[in-house]
Amino acid sequence: MLHIDEKRLLKIFQETGKDSFKLEELEKYLPREKILRVSLWLKGKGLIEIDEKKRERVRVIKKEDFPERKIAKYLKERNLKEIEIKELKNILNKEEINAALGAIKRKGIAKIEKGKIIFENLDYEDEEERALNEIDGKTVEEVDKNLLNILKKRGYIEIEEEKEVNIKLTEEGKKLLEKPIEIEEEISQLTRDIIISKKWKKAYIRPYDVKVPTKPIFPAKVHPLTRIIREVKEILLGMGFKEVKSPIVETEFWNFDMLFEPQDHPAREMQDTFFLKYPTEGEIPKELVEKVREVHLRCWRQFDEKVSRRLILRTHTTASSIRYLASLSEEEKKKNHKVFCIDRVFRNEAIDYKHLPEFYQCEGILMGDNVNFDNLIGILKEFLNRLGFDKVRFRPAYFPFTEPSLEAEIYVEGKGWLEILGAGIFRPEVLEPLGIEKPVLAWGIGFSRLAMLKYNLTDIRELHKNDIDWLRRVIG
Ligand SMILES: N[C@@H](Cc1ccccc1)C(=O)O
């Protein structure tokens, strides 16, 4: 079964009796796009062949005398045979003067002596000129290479690439054309008239061709980073966790003290943490502060409430976890809890391909009777599997607020083992001031590495550049 356009094209061969056409010749009959598309279909059916030849053609782009000829003509008009080089500027511009002098020397058209150009014959013959007059439209092969180069260098010609497309009938195609080709009426769009008149019953209705190439359309979509956040949220909700939030501007008390980080811990230094200029201090809960102070002092650490009150941008979402635990009533402390927080955190880091001063973290905690290290490993495995990482391994690590602590690594084809999250069981020193007796499992995962893996980025900054092309095309 041939498409009506295929028949139209074949009919041109049949009616003209020719079995080969140049593309341009066919354009008399059908639009170029159609010819190209239909030829491909017919080629697929073995009825025609498409031959493509590349040609280089010469185009004259400057139609004026060479500067040396301008000089000769100028002298001839004035019945002169020589001219001072200094005077050339009355006839030619600077560039032309240089070109003319070069050409005169190269071709020996005139003598150059003592600042003068002296012609013997003002009607000199010049093969470059002759070539220039005849060259337009010739293929590169038809022209002397040397002359071609000179004319190109002098800016008088350009080489154009040209494609010659020949469309030829195959033997099979010729055989098909032995019988006349009938083009029956075709309906490409059903109208009310066609339906009422019942014309559609007899006519051929053209099916939709869903494979016709079209311009891509890019509908609005969600930013890749938001997509990851949503995916992780979805997974954790599916695992029975509920979402909690906490402030971005935080006191050192919640961000560090509560997590048993010593007040002189290097992580609290200016170069790691952003401090607020105004206001510099925030409110902290008196009673709890006293309990936390006691724990710190008992462990031979210093504790200054002024430090606790300092305002910073939170450096990790563990601040959210600990705030959640502190919010529990006595009644609630008897129950089990599974919560997570996905949010922005801030560290005073130099920006490079994998570090930004502002990034996303996800933190999850599980508080429950008798939960233990094995449960932690189990949950993390499940979580990472659901994120799409099958091979997972764990190794010991250190965090000031968990004991034991671990780091999870995932295996990525072509990259090897990559560290992806930190986790552990909250230390008794962390839970004691809160009066929580059940163990609390905790883990935190950064989104930078996750995003880089998911979108195959070599530079995390890509994610925030808002390069519209990338945003349109990125999938996953
Ligand atoms: N807060 C840690 C991660 C972590 C969370 C919870 C438990 C252990 C580690 C970090 O930012 O690196």
Side-chain angles (χ1 to χ4, degrees):
M1 185 70 188
L2 290 173
H3 186 279
I4 186 152
D5 285 335
E6 292 177 310
K7 289 186 186 171
R8 283 194 184 121
L9 187 70
L10 287 173
K11 214 168 160 81
I12 300 169
F13 285 87
Q14 190 164 61
E15 282 175 352
T16 55
K18 287 174 61 166
D19 42 21
S20 164
F21 278 99
K22 278 191 194 156
L23 180 59
E24 292 74 41
E25 296 174 313
L26 285 172
E27 279 181 89
K28 270 191 289 191
Y29 305 93
L30 291 171
R32 189 184 176 92
E33 302 309 308
K34 201 168 249 184
I35 302 169
L36 289 172
R37 177 151 32 98
V38 172
S39 314
L40 282 177
W41 297 344
L42 288 170
K43 185 182 165 194
K45 294 179 178 163
L47 296 172
I48 64 158
E49 261 168 52
I50 305 171
D51 248 14
E52 278 186 21
K53 273 194 217 105
K54 280 220 178 90
R55 288 243 173 77
E56 289 182 320
R57 247 180 230 294
V58 181
R59 289 277 161 239
V60 173
I61 54 167
K62 197 154 140 191
K63 294 202 175 76
E64 73 185 55
D65 282 332
F66 286 138
E68 60 271 26
R69 179 63 73 189
K70 287 186 191 165
I71 302 173
K73 281 188 177 170
Y74 174 90
L75 293 176
K76 199 172 167 193
E77 265 172 34
R78 286 166 180 72
N79 262 323
L80 298 169
K81 285 236 151 187
E82 48 179 73
I83 183 166
E84 298 262 349
I85 292 177
K86 276 189 292 193
E87 275 175 58
L88 287 179
K89 63 175 182 298
N90 303 327
I91 324 171
L92 306 171
N93 68 32
K94 212 167 159 190
E95 241 171 80
E96 288 176 311
I97 295 174
N98 288 335
L101 291 173
I104 288 170
K105 276 189 220 153
R106 174 162 39 94
K107 293 186 276 197
I109 293 166
K111 273 191 284 182
I112 303 180
E113 266 176 23
K114 295 183 192 139
K116 270 189 200 166
I117 305 173
I118 307 153
F119 280 85
E120 204 141 298
N121 177 8
L122 288 169
D123 296 310
Y124 64 90
E125 295 255 338
D126 181 2
E127 61 166 352
E128 283 175 27
E129 231 165 36
R130 199 174 334 111
L132 185 63
N133 286 330
E134 299 167 349
I135 209 169
D136 194 43
K138 285 194 175 166
T139 61
V140 165
E141 291 74 33
E142 291 172 302
V143 188
D144 178 86
K145 248 214 160 77
N146 193 26
L147 288 171
L148 190 79
N149 282 339
I150 291 176
L151 293 176
K152 210 163 95 184
K153 231 199 239 150
R154 299 194 77 174
Y156 280 75
I157 59 165
E158 243 171 34
I159 311 291
E160 243 172 38
E161 249 203 19
E162 174 186 277
K163 231 186 353 187
E164 187 182 293
V165 182
N166 273 300
I167 300 172
K168 272 193 260 178
L169 285 177
T170 59
E171 285 312 310
E172 215 180 317
K174 285 180 201 160
K175 223 187 278 155
L176 186 97
L177 292 191
E178 282 166 12
K179 277 183 275 157
I181 290 203
E182 303 239 341
I183 298 182
E184 69 268 24
E185 207 184 330
E186 183 198 69
I187 294 176
S188 58
Q189 206 158 27
L190 271 181
T191 61
R192 184 171 175 274
D193 263 1
I194 293 172
I195 294 171
I196 291 176
S197 66
K198 304 220 161 72
K199 228 164 125 191
W200 64 271
K201 284 197 174 176
K202 273 171 265 149
Y204 168 73
I205 299 177
R206 174 148 141 215
Y208 279 115
D209 182 357
V210 293
K211 288 184 187 155
V212 173
T214 56
K215 257 201 180 155
I217 295 174
F218 302 101
K221 64 182 186 188
V222 174
H223 191 278
L225 184 58
T226 311
R227 291 215 292 274
I228 297 195
I229 292 170
R230 288 192 184 168
E231 188 187 336
V232 172
K233 228 177 241 193
E234 200 80 2
I235 290 173
L236 288 170
L237 289 171
M239 289 172 71
F241 287 79
K242 108 185 163 192
E243 189 174 6
V244 293
K245 290 274 179 188
S246 78
I248 282 175
V249 174
E250 189 54 287
T251 51
E252 285 201 44
F253 176 72
W254 289 107
N255 196 84
F256 296 124
D257 297 343
M258 271 304 284
L259 293 166
F260 199 52
E261 292 198 26
Q263 289 197 335
D264 57 359
H265 192 282
R268 300 198 189 198
E269 302 274 308
M270 276 288 198
Q271 61 267 30
D272 293 298
T273 303
F274 289 112
F275 288 85
L276 255 68
K277 245 192 198 150
Y278 179 82
T280 50
E281 288 188 358
E283 289 298 316
I284 47 177
K286 251 191 152 60
E287 240 175 86
L288 193 54
V289 173
E290 285 320 309
K291 290 181 186 160
V292 173
R293 180 205 305 275
E294 201 197 300
V295 173
H296 280 249
L297 293 181
R298 199 200 304 149
C299 298
W300 308 103
R301 293 172 173 183
Q302 60 201 49
F303 194 91
D304 180 351
E305 229 179 279
K306 251 189 130 26
V307 173
S308 309
R309 270 204 293 269
R310 285 199 301 219
L311 283 172
I312 57 165
L313 297 181
R314 70 165 165 228
T315 64
H316 52 183
T317 38
T318 314
S320 308
S321 302
I322 205 69
R323 267 186 182 267
Y324 175 77
L325 292 178
S327 76
L328 297 176
S329 65
E330 289 309 316
E331 205 49 42
E332 285 167 328
K333 278 181 211 168
K334 292 188 192 131
K335 300 195 182 121
N336 295 344
H337 296 271
K338 283 161 97 175
V339 298
F340 72 94
C341 170
I342 301 181
D343 223 332
R344 272 178 301 163
V345 298
F346 306 83
R347 288 185 200 171
N348 195 356
E349 274 182 299
I351 296 179
D352 66 20
Y353 74 99
K354 62 173 182 175
H355 293 106
L356 294 172
E358 171 180 341
F359 54 99
Y360 273 86
Q361 257 192 351
C362 168
E363 167 112 356
I365 53 170
L366 187 156
M367 166 175 156
D369 296 304
N370 306 320
V371 289
N372 58 30
F373 198 70
D374 280 350
N375 300 131
L376 179 60
I377 301 272
I379 288 169
L380 293 179
K381 261 193 190 150
E382 179 64 25
F383 175 58
L384 292 172
N385 286 349
R386 289 193 193 196
L387 266 176
F389 304 111
D390 304 330
K391 275 203 218 159
V392 180
R393 74 180 184 190
F394 301 93
R395 56 179 180 74
Y398 172 79
F399 298 102
F401 41 90
T402 49
E403 182 60 40
S405 305
L406 65 85
E407 247 154 22
E409 293 180 330
I410 49 167
Y411 188 80
V412 179
E413 212 54 62
K415 293 195 163 78
W417 289 100
L418 304 174
E419 180 197 317
I420 189 106
L421 62 73
I425 303 177
F426 277 145
R427 298 176 70 105
E429 290 89 339
V430 172
L431 297 179
E432 186 199 297
L434 297 172
I436 287 176
E437 275 151 22
K438 296 181 190 183
V440 178
L441 314 178
W443 79 91
I445 183 168
F447 275 46
S448 303
R449 173 151 272 170
L450 216 53
M452 287 174 85
L453 287 173
K454 192 169 173 77
Y455 297 114
N456 225 340
L457 299 175
T458 49
D459 192 324
I460 188 67
R461 286 167 289 195
E462 295 286 330
L463 208 52
H464 302 276
K465 266 207 314 219
N466 288 335
D467 171 356
I468 192 77
D469 254 3
W470 181 74
L471 289 171
R472 277 174 170 165
R473 275 163 226 286
V474 69
I475 38 173

